Amino acid sequence: MTTKPMFSLALGSGGARGFAHVGVLDVLLRMGYRPSAIAGTIMGALVGALYAAGIAPAGMAEAIGLLDFKSAVSFTALNLGPESVLTADAFEGRLREVLPATFAGLQIPFVCVTADIITGERVVMSAGDLPLAVRASMSIPVLYDPVRTDGRLLVDGGLVDPVPVGAARALGGDPVVAVDVGALLAVPATAEEGVDIRGSKPLLTPDGRTTAIQIGTRSFDIASHWLGAAQLATAAVVITPDVGGYSIADFVDVPAIIGAGTAAAERALPDLRAALVPPAEPERGLFSRLRRALRGRG
């Protein structure tokens, strides 16, 4: 009997680019690779929580559709308060419709990463109110109001841990498979051209028109890229969907982003097969002793 390989899964941040996690999970499951533990940040927290709750990738699109991200990122619910532009109360309500009430209702171990905006600490949430924890991990500073809980003011976990490899390892051990959906940096090939390392068209070019939101999100991309590099270096396998041409708010291109995750996971199958070798089964009983004795006589 073949023993299934055990591994932990780290799902990274990236806003709408995180829909690629759904495609990655679909390939992993079809190939028989089932994570034994998951850690997620921002969209990785949402997709990870859905999977840990028993929702298969095929059902995630419907569950995520109920969250109505298009409305969530629109400015129709302007808050204009002292802490944020938008309020995420309605979004949290929808999270409660699709997720278990607490971490205890999950089928496999799961944690999500947030940041304490007051102390700057990385906060790994593993117990208590699950929808609130996922909301906290997804609360982009300034855009969404932070979450107040346990004497902390929690925001977007991507500020401190964009791809939570360490959290996944602490939860489920090695090996860790990481999924990085951040937009990699554009490397200028010539003075006139900018080329993304993944081959996608850069969202910003020196001569193109830009908006404040584009500049802000790109700044976040750059910080996340360098912050996550050290963590990614410790993962057994890193899957990198080609999502560099999408912004964190591209909620109209969800099918294409999921497809990018599918394609990336399929490209990574040789690495996955090499890294996720099933552990050898221990030899037990009379026949095992006889085999050892016969080998000794030879």
Side-chain angles (χ1 to χ4, degrees):
M1 182 175 68
T2 301
T3 301
K4 292 183 179 180
M6 303 287 285
F7 69 100
S8 305
L9 185 62
L11 301 179
S13 61
R17 296 190 293 256
F19 284 110
H21 293 314
V22 177
V24 170
L25 270 170
D26 183 57
V27 173
L28 290 177
L29 298 180
R30 283 195 282 111
M31 299 305 297
Y33 297 122
R34 297 183 177 275
S36 55
I38 299 181
T41 302
I42 312 183
M43 190 64 76
L46 173 60
V47 173
L50 289 170
Y51 178 76
I55 300 175
M60 285 183 188
E62 180 181 354
I64 291 172
L66 293 174
L67 298 175
D68 193 12
F69 276 98
K70 292 179 185 178
S71 296
V73 297
S74 73
F75 287 83
T76 57
L78 284 175
N79 180 35
L80 297 180
E83 294 178 339
S84 65
V85 175
L86 300 173
T87 178
D89 291 342
F91 179 70
E92 182 184 330
R94 295 188 183 100
L95 283 174
R96 296 191 181 282
E97 295 175 11
V98 300
L99 291 174
T102 68
F103 282 80
L106 297 174
Q107 297 181 8
I108 65 170
F110 165 76
V111 297
C112 62
V113 177
T114 68
D116 187 325
I117 197 66
I118 296 176
T119 66
E121 292 176 283
R122 168 179 172 269
V123 179
V124 178
M125 305 188 77
S126 60
D129 191 325
L130 177 63
L132 187 70
V134 172
R135 172 187 167 177
S137 185
M138 300 179 73
S139 293
I140 302 171
V142 181
L143 185 59
Y144 291 111
D145 45 341
V147 169
R148 287 178 167 80
T149 182
D150 297 330
R152 293 184 179 273
L153 198 60
L154 301 178
V155 297
D156 180 346
L159 291 175
V160 290
D161 201 356
V163 190
V165 175
R169 179 176 292 111
L171 183 65
D174 280 315
V176 176
V177 173
V179 185
D180 178 18
V181 293
L184 294 184
L185 306 186
V187 179
T190 68
E192 295 80 26
E193 184 182 9
V195 179
D196 190 272
I197 358 183
R198 290 182 184 164
S200 297
K201 181 180 179 181
L203 293 174
L204 300 178
T205 59
D207 300 327
R209 298 180 63 181
T210 61
T211 66
I213 291 178
Q214 286 177 316
I215 295 296
T217 56
R218 188 57 179 157
S219 300
F220 191 81
D221 284 340
I222 293 170
S224 295
H225 170 75
W226 293 113
L227 183 60
Q231 287 276 337
L232 289 171
T234 69
V237 179
V238 179
I239 300 174
T240 55
D242 185 359
V243 290
Y246 300 99
S247 79
I248 63 172
D250 269 329
F251 294 102
V252 295
D253 292 320
V254 171
I257 296 172
I258 292 176
T262 300
E266 289 173 345
R267 290 194 302 271
L269 284 175
D271 292 335
L272 289 166
R273 292 189 183 104
L276 306 183
V277 179
E281 294 187 25
E283 294 186 328
R284 297 187 180 92
L286 174 62
F287 290 107
S288 298
R289 292 196 294 273
L290 285 173
R291 281 196 296 269
R292 287 196 297 270
L294 290 172
R295 283 197 297 265
R297 290 181 181 179

